[in-house]
Amino acid sequence: RRQKWLVIFTGLRFKSGYAGVPRRHRVFGGLQRMNAAQGDERVHWFMEGFQGAEIVRDLAPQEGETVLWRQRMRHDSSLVDTLKAKNVTKVALAGLKTGQGLLAAAELLADEGLLLYVARECVADDKVERGEAVLQHVLPHLADVLSFEDLRTQLAHEI
């Protein structure tokens, strides 16, 4: 932010009752089915209006920053459209769920020909082994996976 970089927040957020989620969805369908049986007050992971579905206050979007919520594993065109509208050619990815959300974003952006960077210290996964496997064996095919210090150095030379 201090360098005036474009910041875009993405993540999962569902409407009440997990509206629109297919009951047979392998990941989110279980939430939808449990919610149908027990209601929003008891089953509300990633649900709009409940704790855990909001961006933490310390990282909250500032004026002019984009937030793109999704209800699917993959991003729709809004992420790419936003980047293209700003003539972005390089993206540094950070966030949670390295083995799913971050990987899905990296695949989408790599398909668009964007140069991608991932700082190891800026990503995490709830399964450490899965996160490490993705960082070591999958993401290097799509992005430069570096330490945060190496990323800062490399970007300083490129800009």
Side-chain angles (χ1 to χ4, degrees):
R1 286 179 167 158
R2 285 189 301 262
Q3 300 299 320
K4 305 294 183 212
W5 284 29
L6 174 67
V7 175
I8 298 174
F9 293 85
T10 69
L12 294 168
R13 182 187 277 177
F14 297 98
K15 301 267 184 225
S16 176
Y18 296 91
V21 173
R23 291 182 61 80
R24 294 181 59 180
H25 190 285
R26 181 123 179 164
V27 178
F28 306 131
L31 296 175
Q32 195 271 350
R33 292 188 304 274
M34 286 191 327
N35 179 277
Q38 299 180 33
D40 288 354
E41 290 304 316
R42 299 199 64 195
V43 181
H44 49 254
W45 290 279
F46 307 113
M47 189 176 289
E48 187 175 280
F50 288 90
Q51 185 176 355
E54 302 301 322
I55 299 167
V56 295
R57 182 174 293 137
D58 291 346
L59 297 174
Q62 296 179 359
E63 187 176 332
E65 292 180 341
T66 302
V67 179
L68 302 172
W69 295 115
R70 66 183 198 283
Q71 294 76 43
R72 304 261 179 204
M73 302 289 280
R74 301 271 182 209
H75 294 269
D76 62 15
S77 65
S78 60
L79 178 57
V80 170
D81 294 345
T82 302
L83 295 170
K84 284 183 176 182
K86 300 281 186 179
N87 296 314
V88 171
T89 59
K90 298 176 187 177
V91 176
L93 296 169
L96 303 174
K97 208 61 171 166
T98 307
Q100 197 285 309
L102 193 95
L103 179 58
E107 291 170 336
L108 172 71
L109 299 176
D111 277 348
E112 294 297 322
L114 295 169
L115 300 177
L116 304 177
Y117 303 92
V118 176
R120 291 181 151 281
E121 298 90 341
C122 298
V123 297
D125 198 287
D126 59 319
K127 299 285 187 196
V128 174
E129 299 84 6
R130 176 179 52 219
E132 280 302 311
V134 171
L135 282 170
Q136 289 179 23
H137 303 291
V138 182
L139 281 174
H141 296 283
L142 306 169
D144 290 346
V145 179
L146 312 159
S147 71
F148 181 72
E149 281 305 313
D150 288 346
L151 177 62
R152 286 182 63 195
T153 301
Q154 182 168 334
L155 291 178
H157 293 298
E158 291 181 9
I159 294 176

